[in-house]
Amino acid sequence: MAPSVADVLPSASELKEKAEQKINRAYDASQHSSYKYTHYLPVYDETTTFPPTEPFEFVDRGLLADKTKPHLLGLNDPNVVVTKLTPRVGTEITGLQLSELTDEQKIELALLIAERGVVVFRGQNFKDIGVEKQKEFGQYFGRLHVHPVGAHVDGAIEFHNIYLGPDNLYRAQRRSEKLTTTGYHSDVSYEHQPPAITLLTLLAVPSTGGDTAWTSQVAAYERLSEPIKTLLEGLRAEHSGFPQAENARRDGKFVRREPVKSDHPIVRVHPVTGQKALFVNPGFTKKIIGLKTEESDAILQLLFKHISQSADVQVRVKWDDQTVSLWDNRVTAHTAISDYDVHNEEEGLRHGFRITTLGERPVGVNGLETVW
């Protein structure tokens, strides 16, 4: 039976809400007249606000997985190729479509991401399956995060927009006073229940450059000396969203949820693998609780340098427009590498979107929990 007109047309309240919304484009439409993915270009909803995120129960899908992953890695299909990108972090899969995975395969994928830090899928049709199916895929792994200040996809505020082009240089300008464009971080780690799995797909990529690098925070922890491990395992560090919100307001951007701080264990234990991982990052970690300023600064700078410079526990991934990467923020830190000339038409545009799921309240060694 065909749907009634009442089922198809928006209600009066929905129309009023839409009319009151203020959506600002963060791009020059004249530069994208032939672009296939104009409906994914960055916008800012400058009316919708969100309350603080309330605590919620989270159960990691990976807890349900068969550790041998027979449905994902044991298919005996010559078209499916699984490759370790480095010994400690990163796995690449070709011959499987994320959009066609069964629930059993998604559960095993959650475990694989936890174990390998990041899993890179090549030859994907994910960017063409539509917003609702993309959102549904992300929601399978957890509650979707709404970025408090970032640009998003029109009609999908949960899709954090990744965009750097000549008509929007905001990402580049933020780092123009530094020697490097790289900045290792774990996504919005200031949240009380910070992200678990993040998915990123690029719709347009430069002809060269624009890679992403990940550091294994598990391997980084394991490299530390035993006395330092023991010290860190009993400490929490403050992760703050306040500088991000303050910078956004200074730059005239809308803040849709007020910032928070969280004191997370410096060493957290993954709920599925039981592995210990460093949980600090240069992007959002501000100080170590209980230490004097000089002590905190010295230890954090040591850890930040270790995370950023230890190439032997990192992986660098080159993108194309059919690649989707999924990573576990609880065991990795990552950075974009903006090494291409955004003004050079031959090098092109870097544009995509990120779907991020929130995880559990972090727990460290001997049950040391996050507080706020």
Side-chain angles (χ1 to χ4, degrees):
M1 180 184 295
S4 69
V5 172
D7 291 331
V8 174
L9 293 177
S11 66
S13 62
E14 288 172 329
L15 286 171
K16 182 175 184 291
E17 181 180 349
K18 191 70 175 175
E20 291 175 349
Q21 270 189 331
K22 181 181 178 184
I23 304 292
N24 276 350
R25 289 191 308 213
Y27 62 93
D28 181 351
S30 67
Q31 295 190 25
H32 300 283
S33 58
S34 60
Y35 185 41
K36 181 179 178 181
Y37 298 100
T38 53
H39 52 299
Y40 284 94
L41 286 168
V43 299
Y44 287 95
D45 175 343
E46 298 193 344
T47 53
T48 304
T49 59
F50 294 86
T53 301
E54 295 290 334
F56 65 95
E57 184 178 358
F58 171 78
V59 179
D60 196 298
R61 293 284 190 180
L63 288 167
L64 305 174
D66 182 332
K67 287 182 170 45
T68 65
K69 308 172 197 68
H71 305 94
L72 188 69
L73 304 183
L75 298 176
N76 294 319
D77 183 342
N79 295 314
V80 177
V81 179
V82 181
T83 306
K84 284 187 176 181
L85 294 174
T86 76
R88 292 309 308 269
V89 58
T91 292
E92 182 179 276
I93 297 178
T94 59
L96 278 179
Q97 286 291 342
L98 285 169
S99 60
E100 298 173 4
L101 294 185
T102 65
D103 286 354
E104 288 173 322
Q105 289 175 315
K106 292 175 191 173
I107 287 169
E108 292 175 6
L109 175 58
L111 175 57
L112 181 64
I113 296 169
E115 292 174 342
R116 297 293 299 160
V118 56
V119 180
V120 181
F121 284 82
R122 302 292 191 183
Q124 298 298 298
N125 64 5
F126 188 82
K127 64 179 181 177
D128 295 315
I129 64 175
V131 166
E132 290 309 313
K133 288 184 178 179
Q134 291 160 347
K135 190 181 297 186
E136 181 182 341
F137 183 90
Q139 288 170 331
Y140 187 84
F141 298 97
R143 179 181 297 189
L144 300 190
H145 180 257
V146 175
H147 199 282
V149 301
H152 57 90
V153 171
D154 195 5
I157 202 168
E158 307 92 339
F159 289 17
H160 181 54
N161 222 302
I162 308 298
Y163 186 94
L164 182 56
D167 54 339
N168 186 334
L169 298 172
Y170 186 58
R171 283 177 169 265
Q173 289 168 345
R174 286 181 299 168
R175 296 175 180 168
S176 61
E177 296 180 356
K178 296 188 176 182
L179 290 172
T180 178
T181 64
T182 59
Y184 277 89
H185 62 284
S186 175
D187 290 333
V188 294
S189 63
Y190 48 75
E191 298 287 6
H192 300 329
Q193 291 182 231
I197 291 174
T198 291
L199 175 153
L200 174 61
T201 185
L202 293 188
L203 310 171
V205 297
S207 58
T208 182
D211 301 350
T212 301
W214 286 264
T215 295
S216 168
Q217 295 274 55
V218 173
Y221 164 81
E222 291 173 355
R223 293 286 177 87
L224 298 173
S225 65
E226 291 303 320
I228 294 296
K229 288 180 184 176
T230 301
L231 172 65
L232 297 180
E233 286 173 1
L235 295 172
R236 297 183 180 96
E238 179 187 282
H239 296 236
S240 178
F242 280 81
Q244 184 183 72
E246 290 162 4
N247 290 340
R249 285 194 167 107
R250 179 201 63 203
D251 296 338
K253 305 297 183 184
F254 183 70
V255 176
R256 60 183 64 95
R257 187 172 61 251
E258 289 303 312
V260 297
K261 296 177 182 178
S262 300
D263 295 344
H264 295 309
I266 290 180
V267 179
R268 70 183 293 182
V269 179
H270 196 284
V272 177
T273 66
Q275 290 181 309
K276 298 176 183 179
L278 286 177
F279 195 60
V280 295
N281 66 85
F284 299 113
T285 309
K286 303 306 175 185
K287 65 180 181 181
I288 298 175
I289 305 302
L291 298 192
K292 295 186 176 179
T293 300
E294 294 89 345
E295 296 168 337
S296 173
D297 289 348
I299 293 173
L300 286 178
Q301 288 307 312
L302 167 68
L303 297 177
F304 295 164
K305 183 177 178 180
H306 179 37
I307 291 164
S308 301
Q309 297 184 7
S310 294
D312 50 353
V313 295
Q314 296 176 350
V315 63
R316 178 168 173 162
V317 172
K318 181 174 177 58
W319 292 90
D320 59 39
D321 61 1
Q322 294 182 330
T323 291
V324 180
S325 294
L326 302 98
W327 65 90
D328 193 326
N329 287 281
R330 299 165 292 186
V331 295
T332 61
H334 66 280
T335 181
I337 302 172
S338 301
D339 53 352
Y340 57 96
D341 183 358
V342 70
H343 299 288
N344 185 340
E345 291 184 5
E346 294 181 0
E347 293 192 14
L349 167 73
R350 190 178 191 269
H351 174 222
F353 62 88
R354 186 182 89 190
I355 301 174
T356 299
T357 65
L358 293 172
E360 74 283 355
R361 178 180 182 175
V363 177
V365 179
N366 297 322
L368 186 71
E369 285 189 321
T370 288
V371 295
W372 59 87

mmCIF file of all heavy atoms in Angstrom, residues 145-149 186-195 238-242 244-245 257-264 279 281 283-284 370 372:
data_model
loop_
_atom_site.group_PDB
_atom_site.id
_atom_site.type_symbol
_atom_site.label_atom_id
_atom_site.label_comp_id
_atom_site.label_asym_id
_atom_site.label_seq_id
_atom_site.Cartn_x
_atom_site.Cartn_y
_atom_site.Cartn_z
ATOM 1 N N HIS A 145 28.813 9.930 18.271
ATOM 2 C CA HIS A 145 29.224 11.186 18.893
ATOM 3 C C HIS A 145 28.888 12.352 17.974
ATOM 4 O O HIS A 145 29.028 12.258 16.753
ATOM 5 C CB HIS A 145 30.732 11.158 19.148
ATOM 6 C CG HIS A 145 31.271 12.392 19.782
ATOM 7 N ND1 HIS A 145 31.965 13.359 19.072
ATOM 8 C CD2 HIS A 145 31.204 12.844 21.059
ATOM 9 C CE1 HIS A 145 32.318 14.325 19.890
ATOM 10 N NE2 HIS A 145 31.881 14.045 21.099
ATOM 11 N N VAL A 146 28.434 13.446 18.571
ATOM 12 C CA VAL A 146 28.231 14.701 17.843
ATOM 13 C C VAL A 146 29.342 15.652 18.262
ATOM 14 O O VAL A 146 29.479 15.973 19.444
ATOM 15 C CB VAL A 146 26.858 15.317 18.152
ATOM 16 C CG1 VAL A 146 26.728 16.690 17.480
ATOM 17 C CG2 VAL A 146 25.737 14.392 17.696
ATOM 18 N N HIS A 147 30.142 16.080 17.293
ATOM 19 C CA HIS A 147 31.268 16.951 17.621
ATOM 20 C C HIS A 147 30.753 18.286 18.147
ATOM 21 O O HIS A 147 29.834 18.876 17.566
ATOM 22 C CB HIS A 147 32.141 17.176 16.384
ATOM 23 C CG HIS A 147 33.513 17.650 16.703
ATOM 24 N ND1 HIS A 147 33.772 18.961 17.041
ATOM 25 C CD2 HIS A 147 34.704 17.005 16.766
ATOM 26 C CE1 HIS A 147 35.066 19.089 17.288
ATOM 27 N NE2 HIS A 147 35.654 17.921 17.130
ATOM 28 N N PRO A 148 31.322 18.793 19.245
ATOM 29 C CA PRO A 148 30.769 20.012 19.847
ATOM 30 C C PRO A 148 30.995 21.284 19.061
ATOM 31 O O PRO A 148 30.272 22.266 19.261
ATOM 32 C CB PRO A 148 31.476 20.076 21.208
ATOM 33 C CG PRO A 148 32.714 19.266 21.051
ATOM 34 C CD PRO A 148 32.389 18.189 20.068
ATOM 35 N N VAL A 149 31.985 21.316 18.161
ATOM 36 C CA VAL A 149 32.268 22.564 17.447
ATOM 37 C C VAL A 149 32.490 22.382 15.944
ATOM 38 O O VAL A 149 32.496 23.369 15.208
ATOM 39 C CB VAL A 149 33.501 23.291 18.037
ATOM 40 C CG1 VAL A 149 33.279 23.610 19.506
ATOM 41 C CG2 VAL A 149 34.775 22.493 17.858
ATOM 42 N N SER A 186 43.856 11.449 20.189
ATOM 43 C CA SER A 186 42.767 10.471 20.212
ATOM 44 C C SER A 186 41.490 11.282 20.171
ATOM 45 O O SER A 186 41.353 12.260 20.916
ATOM 46 C CB SER A 186 42.850 9.619 21.492
ATOM 47 O OG SER A 186 41.750 8.746 21.593
ATOM 48 N N ASP A 187 40.561 10.921 19.306
ATOM 49 C CA ASP A 187 39.396 11.771 19.045
ATOM 50 C C ASP A 187 38.671 12.168 20.337
ATOM 51 O O ASP A 187 38.319 11.312 21.151
ATOM 52 C CB ASP A 187 38.420 11.066 18.109
ATOM 53 C CG ASP A 187 38.958 10.956 16.685
ATOM 54 O OD1 ASP A 187 39.766 11.810 16.297
ATOM 55 O OD2 ASP A 187 38.570 10.007 15.976
ATOM 56 N N VAL A 188 38.473 13.474 20.490
ATOM 57 C CA VAL A 188 37.716 14.092 21.590
ATOM 58 C C VAL A 188 37.885 13.331 22.908
ATOM 59 O O VAL A 188 36.920 12.996 23.592
ATOM 60 C CB VAL A 188 36.228 14.268 21.224
ATOM 61 C CG1 VAL A 188 36.082 15.267 20.091
ATOM 62 C CG2 VAL A 188 35.550 12.963 20.825
ATOM 63 N N SER A 189 39.139 13.098 23.300
ATOM 64 C CA SER A 189 39.408 12.261 24.468
ATOM 65 C C SER A 189 38.972 12.910 25.768
ATOM 66 O O SER A 189 39.011 12.274 26.825
ATOM 67 C CB SER A 189 40.896 11.902 24.530
ATOM 68 O OG SER A 189 41.704 13.054 24.696
ATOM 69 N N TYR A 190 38.553 14.179 25.711
ATOM 70 C CA TYR A 190 38.062 14.852 26.916
ATOM 71 C C TYR A 190 36.687 14.360 27.357
ATOM 72 O O TYR A 190 36.256 14.625 28.479
ATOM 73 C CB TYR A 190 38.012 16.362 26.703
ATOM 74 C CG TYR A 190 37.345 16.776 25.397
ATOM 75 C CD1 TYR A 190 35.968 16.721 25.231
ATOM 76 C CD2 TYR A 190 38.105 17.224 24.320
ATOM 77 C CE1 TYR A 190 35.361 17.094 24.051
ATOM 78 C CE2 TYR A 190 37.516 17.601 23.127
ATOM 79 C CZ TYR A 190 36.151 17.535 22.998
ATOM 80 O OH TYR A 190 35.547 17.893 21.818
ATOM 81 N N GLU A 191 35.956 13.663 26.495
ATOM 82 C CA GLU A 191 34.622 13.182 26.867
ATOM 83 C C GLU A 191 34.719 12.229 28.067
ATOM 84 O O GLU A 191 35.695 11.508 28.230
ATOM 85 C CB GLU A 191 33.953 12.463 25.687
ATOM 86 C CG GLU A 191 33.713 13.338 24.470
ATOM 87 C CD GLU A 191 32.579 14.347 24.648
ATOM 88 O OE1 GLU A 191 32.027 14.460 25.771
ATOM 89 O OE2 GLU A 191 32.245 15.027 23.665
ATOM 90 N N HIS A 192 33.671 12.229 28.909
ATOM 91 C CA HIS A 192 33.669 11.350 30.076
ATOM 92 C C HIS A 192 33.701 9.880 29.652
ATOM 93 O O HIS A 192 34.311 9.049 30.330
ATOM 94 C CB HIS A 192 32.431 11.608 30.931
ATOM 95 C CG HIS A 192 32.332 13.013 31.437
ATOM 96 N ND1 HIS A 192 33.443 13.791 31.718
ATOM 97 C CD2 HIS A 192 31.250 13.794 31.733
ATOM 98 C CE1 HIS A 192 33.052 14.977 32.156
ATOM 99 N NE2 HIS A 192 31.733 15.012 32.169
ATOM 100 N N GLN A 193 33.010 9.574 28.578
ATOM 101 C CA GLN A 193 33.100 8.249 27.948
ATOM 102 C C GLN A 193 33.627 8.475 26.532
ATOM 103 O O GLN A 193 32.850 8.629 25.593
ATOM 104 C CB GLN A 193 31.746 7.540 27.939
ATOM 105 C CG GLN A 193 31.286 7.125 29.322
ATOM 106 C CD GLN A 193 29.971 6.371 29.329
ATOM 107 O OE1 GLN A 193 29.065 6.716 30.071
ATOM 108 N NE2 GLN A 193 29.853 5.334 28.513
ATOM 109 N N PRO A 194 34.933 8.539 26.380
ATOM 110 C CA PRO A 194 35.514 8.942 25.100
ATOM 111 C C PRO A 194 35.334 7.865 24.020
ATOM 112 O O PRO A 194 34.914 6.733 24.309
ATOM 113 C CB PRO A 194 36.986 9.159 25.440
ATOM 114 C CG PRO A 194 37.223 8.341 26.665
ATOM 115 C CD PRO A 194 35.941 8.325 27.422
ATOM 116 N N PRO A 195 35.639 8.227 22.780
ATOM 117 C CA PRO A 195 35.347 7.334 21.663
ATOM 118 C C PRO A 195 36.038 5.978 21.720
ATOM 119 O O PRO A 195 37.156 5.841 22.218
ATOM 120 C CB PRO A 195 35.820 8.134 20.448
ATOM 121 C CG PRO A 195 35.621 9.551 20.859
ATOM 122 C CD PRO A 195 36.003 9.574 22.310
ATOM 123 N N GLU A 238 44.408 15.047 33.173
ATOM 124 C CA GLU A 238 43.256 15.837 32.747
ATOM 125 C C GLU A 238 43.233 15.985 31.232
ATOM 126 O O GLU A 238 44.215 16.407 30.620
ATOM 127 C CB GLU A 238 43.307 17.225 33.382
ATOM 128 C CG GLU A 238 42.150 18.135 32.965
ATOM 129 C CD GLU A 238 42.335 19.548 33.467
ATOM 130 O OE1 GLU A 238 42.082 19.777 34.661
ATOM 131 O OE2 GLU A 238 42.759 20.415 32.656
ATOM 132 N N HIS A 239 42.080 15.649 30.639
ATOM 133 C CA HIS A 239 41.819 15.885 29.221
ATOM 134 C C HIS A 239 40.738 16.959 29.149
ATOM 135 O O HIS A 239 39.685 16.822 29.773
ATOM 136 C CB HIS A 239 41.325 14.608 28.526
ATOM 137 C CG HIS A 239 42.318 13.498 28.508
ATOM 138 N ND1 HIS A 239 42.745 12.887 27.343
ATOM 139 C CD2 HIS A 239 42.985 12.863 29.516
ATOM 140 C CE1 HIS A 239 43.613 11.933 27.636
ATOM 141 N NE2 HIS A 239 43.769 11.899 28.949
ATOM 142 N N SER A 240 40.984 18.006 28.397
ATOM 143 C CA SER A 240 40.075 19.153 28.417
ATOM 144 C C SER A 240 39.575 19.519 27.026
ATOM 145 O O SER A 240 40.345 19.585 26.057
ATOM 146 C CB SER A 240 40.784 20.369 29.024
ATOM 147 O OG SER A 240 39.929 21.501 29.005
ATOM 148 N N GLY A 241 38.261 19.796 26.958
ATOM 149 C CA GLY A 241 37.671 20.311 25.729
ATOM 150 C C GLY A 241 37.543 21.823 25.730
ATOM 151 O O GLY A 241 37.066 22.405 24.747
ATOM 152 N N PHE A 242 37.974 22.472 26.811
ATOM 153 C CA PHE A 242 37.803 23.921 26.919
ATOM 154 C C PHE A 242 38.621 24.705 25.885
ATOM 155 O O PHE A 242 38.090 25.638 25.266
ATOM 156 C CB PHE A 242 38.114 24.383 28.342
ATOM 157 C CG PHE A 242 36.975 24.148 29.292
ATOM 158 C CD1 PHE A 242 36.769 22.898 29.854
ATOM 159 C CD2 PHE A 242 36.095 25.166 29.613
ATOM 160 C CE1 PHE A 242 35.715 22.661 30.728
ATOM 161 C CE2 PHE A 242 35.031 24.952 30.481
ATOM 162 C CZ PHE A 242 34.840 23.694 31.039
ATOM 163 N N GLN A 244 39.499 23.853 22.910
ATOM 164 C CA GLN A 244 38.854 23.682 21.606
ATOM 165 C C GLN A 244 37.635 24.586 21.478
ATOM 166 O O GLN A 244 37.443 25.258 20.453
ATOM 167 C CB GLN A 244 38.448 22.211 21.422
ATOM 168 C CG GLN A 244 37.861 21.888 20.065
ATOM 169 C CD GLN A 244 37.428 20.437 19.979
ATOM 170 O OE1 GLN A 244 36.452 20.035 20.581
ATOM 171 N NE2 GLN A 244 38.185 19.638 19.233
ATOM 172 N N ALA A 245 36.801 24.612 22.521
ATOM 173 C CA ALA A 245 35.603 25.456 22.485
ATOM 174 C C ALA A 245 35.973 26.939 22.477
ATOM 175 O O ALA A 245 35.364 27.739 21.753
ATOM 176 C CB ALA A 245 34.712 25.128 23.682
ATOM 177 N N ARG A 257 27.725 22.176 22.149
ATOM 178 C CA ARG A 257 27.675 21.561 23.476
ATOM 179 C C ARG A 257 28.811 22.131 24.301
ATOM 180 O O ARG A 257 29.951 22.216 23.823
ATOM 181 C CB ARG A 257 27.792 20.031 23.391
ATOM 182 C CG ARG A 257 27.572 19.337 24.737
ATOM 183 C CD ARG A 257 27.501 17.826 24.634
ATOM 184 N NE ARG A 257 28.727 17.253 24.116
ATOM 185 C CZ ARG A 257 28.874 16.699 22.911
ATOM 186 N NH1 ARG A 257 27.838 16.632 22.087
ATOM 187 N NH2 ARG A 257 30.029 16.209 22.527
ATOM 188 N N GLU A 258 28.516 22.541 25.514
ATOM 189 C CA GLU A 258 29.527 23.178 26.343
ATOM 190 C C GLU A 258 30.643 22.184 26.677
ATOM 191 O O GLU A 258 30.405 20.981 26.817
ATOM 192 C CB GLU A 258 28.902 23.721 27.633
ATOM 193 C CG GLU A 258 28.002 24.935 27.393
ATOM 194 C CD GLU A 258 28.722 26.077 26.696
ATOM 195 O OE1 GLU A 258 29.843 26.420 27.130
ATOM 196 O OE2 GLU A 258 28.185 26.617 25.713
ATOM 197 N N PRO A 259 31.880 22.683 26.795
ATOM 198 C CA PRO A 259 33.024 21.787 26.974
ATOM 199 C C PRO A 259 33.043 21.107 28.343
ATOM 200 O O PRO A 259 32.429 21.591 29.303
ATOM 201 C CB PRO A 259 34.225 22.721 26.809
ATOM 202 C CG PRO A 259 33.697 24.079 27.175
ATOM 203 C CD PRO A 259 32.273 24.098 26.715
ATOM 204 N N VAL A 260 33.764 20.010 28.416
ATOM 205 C CA VAL A 260 33.944 19.258 29.663
ATOM 206 C C VAL A 260 35.413 18.906 29.833
ATOM 207 O O VAL A 260 36.205 18.984 28.890
ATOM 208 C CB VAL A 260 33.109 17.953 29.669
ATOM 209 C CG1 VAL A 260 31.623 18.255 29.599
ATOM 210 C CG2 VAL A 260 33.536 17.019 28.530
ATOM 211 N N LYS A 261 35.747 18.530 31.074
ATOM 212 C CA LYS A 261 37.056 17.976 31.393
ATOM 213 C C LYS A 261 36.848 16.595 31.993
ATOM 214 O O LYS A 261 35.835 16.342 32.654
ATOM 215 C CB LYS A 261 37.804 18.843 32.408
ATOM 216 C CG LYS A 261 38.150 20.239 31.948
ATOM 217 C CD LYS A 261 38.826 21.005 33.082
ATOM 218 C CE LYS A 261 39.141 22.444 32.683
ATOM 219 N NZ LYS A 261 39.764 23.179 33.819
ATOM 220 N N SER A 262 37.810 15.707 31.786
ATOM 221 C CA SER A 262 37.786 14.392 32.409
ATOM 222 C C SER A 262 39.187 14.050 32.876
ATOM 223 O O SER A 262 40.172 14.355 32.189
ATOM 224 C CB SER A 262 37.320 13.318 31.412
ATOM 225 O OG SER A 262 36.021 13.580 30.924
ATOM 226 N N ASP A 263 39.270 13.414 34.034
ATOM 227 C CA ASP A 263 40.551 12.915 34.532
ATOM 228 C C ASP A 263 40.607 11.418 34.269
ATOM 229 O O ASP A 263 39.987 10.618 34.988
ATOM 230 C CB ASP A 263 40.687 13.200 36.031
ATOM 231 C CG ASP A 263 40.732 14.685 36.346
ATOM 232 O OD1 ASP A 263 40.967 15.472 35.409
ATOM 233 O OD2 ASP A 263 40.522 15.053 37.516
ATOM 234 N N HIS A 264 41.317 11.047 33.196
ATOM 235 C CA HIS A 264 41.381 9.650 32.757
ATOM 236 C C HIS A 264 42.646 8.971 33.285
ATOM 237 O O HIS A 264 43.694 9.637 33.444
ATOM 238 C CB HIS A 264 41.418 9.573 31.225
ATOM 239 C CG HIS A 264 40.184 10.060 30.540
ATOM 240 N ND1 HIS A 264 38.917 9.625 30.865
ATOM 241 C CD2 HIS A 264 40.028 10.936 29.503
ATOM 242 C CE1 HIS A 264 38.034 10.209 30.065
ATOM 243 N NE2 HIS A 264 38.678 11.010 29.243
ATOM 244 N N PHE A 279 47.104 6.385 27.559
ATOM 245 C CA PHE A 279 45.931 7.160 27.164
ATOM 246 C C PHE A 279 46.172 8.635 27.478
ATOM 247 O O PHE A 279 45.516 9.250 28.304
ATOM 248 C CB PHE A 279 44.664 6.651 27.850
ATOM 249 C CG PHE A 279 43.397 7.173 27.211
ATOM 250 C CD1 PHE A 279 43.128 6.905 25.873
ATOM 251 C CD2 PHE A 279 42.497 7.932 27.930
ATOM 252 C CE1 PHE A 279 41.983 7.391 25.261
ATOM 253 C CE2 PHE A 279 41.346 8.427 27.337
ATOM 254 C CZ PHE A 279 41.083 8.151 26.005
ATOM 255 N N ASN A 281 47.514 12.238 25.012
ATOM 256 C CA ASN A 281 47.811 12.687 23.653
ATOM 257 C C ASN A 281 48.050 14.182 23.661
ATOM 258 O O ASN A 281 47.488 14.915 24.491
ATOM 259 C CB ASN A 281 46.678 12.303 22.700
ATOM 260 C CG ASN A 281 45.373 13.020 23.007
ATOM 261 O OD1 ASN A 281 45.150 14.146 22.563
ATOM 262 N ND2 ASN A 281 44.498 12.377 23.780
ATOM 263 N N GLY A 283 46.997 16.424 21.809
ATOM 264 C CA GLY A 283 45.854 17.240 21.424
ATOM 265 C C GLY A 283 45.010 17.719 22.587
ATOM 266 O O GLY A 283 44.574 18.876 22.613
ATOM 267 N N PHE A 284 44.765 16.851 23.565
ATOM 268 C CA PHE A 284 43.784 17.181 24.594
ATOM 269 C C PHE A 284 44.258 16.978 26.034
ATOM 270 O O PHE A 284 43.572 17.409 26.962
ATOM 271 C CB PHE A 284 42.506 16.354 24.375
ATOM 272 C CG PHE A 284 41.844 16.616 23.058
ATOM 273 C CD1 PHE A 284 41.791 15.639 22.066
ATOM 274 C CD2 PHE A 284 41.290 17.849 22.776
ATOM 275 C CE1 PHE A 284 41.182 15.883 20.842
ATOM 276 C CE2 PHE A 284 40.681 18.111 21.559
ATOM 277 C CZ PHE A 284 40.629 17.123 20.593
ATOM 278 N N THR A 370 38.080 6.674 35.459
ATOM 279 C CA THR A 370 37.931 8.082 35.106
ATOM 280 C C THR A 370 37.023 8.767 36.117
ATOM 281 O O THR A 370 36.011 8.207 36.550
ATOM 282 C CB THR A 370 37.349 8.209 33.698
ATOM 283 O OG1 THR A 370 38.315 7.833 32.737
ATOM 284 C CG2 THR A 370 36.884 9.636 33.405
ATOM 285 N N TRP A 372 35.351 12.939 37.083
ATOM 286 C CA TRP A 372 35.154 14.300 36.588
ATOM 287 C C TRP A 372 34.360 15.113 37.589
ATOM 288 O O TRP A 372 33.809 14.582 38.533
ATOM 289 C CB TRP A 372 34.452 14.309 35.223
ATOM 290 C CG TRP A 372 33.108 13.664 35.189
ATOM 291 C CD1 TRP A 372 31.905 14.243 35.469
ATOM 292 C CD2 TRP A 372 32.827 12.297 34.833
ATOM 293 N NE1 TRP A 372 30.880 13.342 35.303
ATOM 294 C CE2 TRP A 372 31.414 12.135 34.923
ATOM 295 C CE3 TRP A 372 33.597 11.210 34.450
ATOM 296 C CZ2 TRP A 372 30.792 10.912 34.645
ATOM 297 C CZ3 TRP A 372 32.977 10.015 34.180
ATOM 298 C CH2 TRP A 372 31.584 9.865 34.284
#
